[in-house]
Amino acid sequence: MTEYPSTAHLHRWLEIALTVTAEAASVAAQATLDATSVAADAKSSRNDLVTMTDRAIEDMVVHHLRERTALPTLGEEGHTVDSFEGLVWVLDPIDGTMNFVETHRDFAVSLALCCDGTPVLGVVQDVMGGHTYTAIRGEGATCDGKSLPPLGEGAGRRESVLITDLKEIQALPRLAQCLIESRGHRRYGSAALECVEVATGRAGAFVHLWVSPWDIAASSVICQETGARFTRLDGTPLDVRFKGSVLVAPPRTHAELLQRLVIDPE
């Protein structure tokens, strides 16, 4: 078991993370003006895209992190680690690549530092929105340097806006009914930004059946530091080292959705 980082180390690493992700966000924003930079190749499917900008940003951030922290980085576009033992950076150079390519908005740079697999700090740069979200475990979360207030218990599921995707609605009939009964349905196409919507209280919950470590590592710290529950769909603890489902919401909203989606017989 790795010794937990000191407060001084965490704040130093957060400053480094802020610097490198701000540079990455600047590169991504500029790239939306260049058709070559947003030209995409398919990975696992026609809607799972990667661009030269994804790869360039990942290479740049990994280089800076290696130079300034000497810590390994797991990145979506090819940088791997042997294990999550010790301190490991987790990077999504562009979370929401389809948005980056097609709409040029609602995409983010997401960077977390994990200690033995547990995220201890996170930075999410909303590139086109121009907002920076940060958190250090146990010290609260911020947006543009201002503290995010605690969420409290949250609203009931019927009084909440729910963020999810068509695949989840098709796979989970109970979720479709929850949406009908809710205040409305939204989808932004970037898991990091969708989680941040919950952390800021702009949405009641985020439900997804399949997220990867780089999708949620940073936003998980931000959400938890505002009081949101961050679990698998069945309510079990979420380990960001492994792909799987996610249910993010304030305690009351989370409990009501969990009851309706998983526990209720009808």
Side-chain angles (χ1 to χ4, degrees):
M1 184 70 68
T2 304
E3 183 178 355
Y4 194 82
S6 68
T7 299
H9 277 108
L10 287 172
H11 280 272
R12 181 170 66 85
W13 285 325
L14 177 59
E15 288 303 313
I16 292 170
L18 281 167
T19 300
V20 298
T21 58
E23 184 178 352
S26 178
V27 171
Q30 187 64 31
T32 62
L33 304 176
D34 177 9
T36 303
S37 298
V38 298
D41 296 320
K43 295 192 291 184
S44 63
S45 71
R46 62 186 295 269
N47 290 331
D48 180 18
L49 303 181
V50 62
T51 68
M52 61 183 291
T53 306
D54 290 82
R55 295 188 175 108
I57 288 176
E58 181 163 316
D59 288 344
M60 178 188 73
V61 171
V62 170
H63 171 76
H64 285 312
L65 292 176
R66 185 182 299 121
E67 289 286 310
R68 300 182 67 179
T69 71
L71 298 175
T73 303
L74 172 67
E76 180 179 11
E77 307 308 340
H79 289 83
T80 61
V81 294
D82 294 331
S83 78
F84 269 92
E85 183 178 353
L87 295 168
V88 175
W89 294 103
V90 180
L91 168 69
D92 195 336
I94 299 180
D95 181 51
T97 300
M98 181 66 77
N99 291 345
F100 172 70
V101 172
E102 297 292 345
T103 67
H104 307 329
R105 60 181 174 84
D106 295 328
F107 59 91
V109 179
S110 176
L111 179 64
L113 181 65
C114 295
C115 180
D116 292 333
T118 299
V120 294
L121 71 80
V123 176
V124 173
Q125 297 277 4
D126 179 353
V127 175
M128 304 309 287
H131 297 297
T132 302
Y133 301 89
T134 72
I136 291 177
R137 185 168 297 278
E139 297 191 17
T142 73
C143 175
D144 300 332
K146 298 180 180 179
S147 295
L148 289 174
L151 292 171
E153 287 299 302
R157 64 176 177 84
R158 296 173 186 267
E159 287 72 49
S160 299
V161 171
L162 308 180
I163 301 177
T164 193
D165 195 4
L166 179 61
K167 296 187 294 297
E168 280 68 32
I169 297 169
Q170 291 176 324
L172 302 167
R174 294 182 188 181
L175 177 58
Q177 186 60 36
C178 284
L179 294 175
I180 292 170
E181 297 168 351
S182 75
R183 297 299 299 273
H185 164 232
R186 299 291 183 271
R187 174 67 166 136
Y188 300 99
S190 161
L193 294 182
E194 288 165 326
C195 289
V196 164
E197 289 293 293
V198 177
T200 58
R202 293 190 293 259
F206 172 54
V207 182
H208 207 285
L209 290 176
W210 193 251
V211 290
S212 297
W214 42 81
D215 295 323
I216 59 168
S219 59
S220 69
V221 193
I222 297 166
C223 286
Q224 289 168 334
E225 286 301 306
T226 60
R229 293 202 63 204
F230 212 99
T231 70
R232 295 299 185 196
L233 185 62
D234 62 0
T236 56
L238 189 150
D239 188 331
V240 301
R241 294 174 294 180
F242 305 104
K243 297 181 180 180
S245 64
V246 66
L247 171 59
V248 185
R252 178 186 173 189
T253 322
H254 188 283
E256 290 190 13
L257 284 170
L258 181 64
Q259 184 74 27
R260 186 67 189 92
L261 294 175
V262 178
I263 299 173
D264 281 348
E266 297 296 335

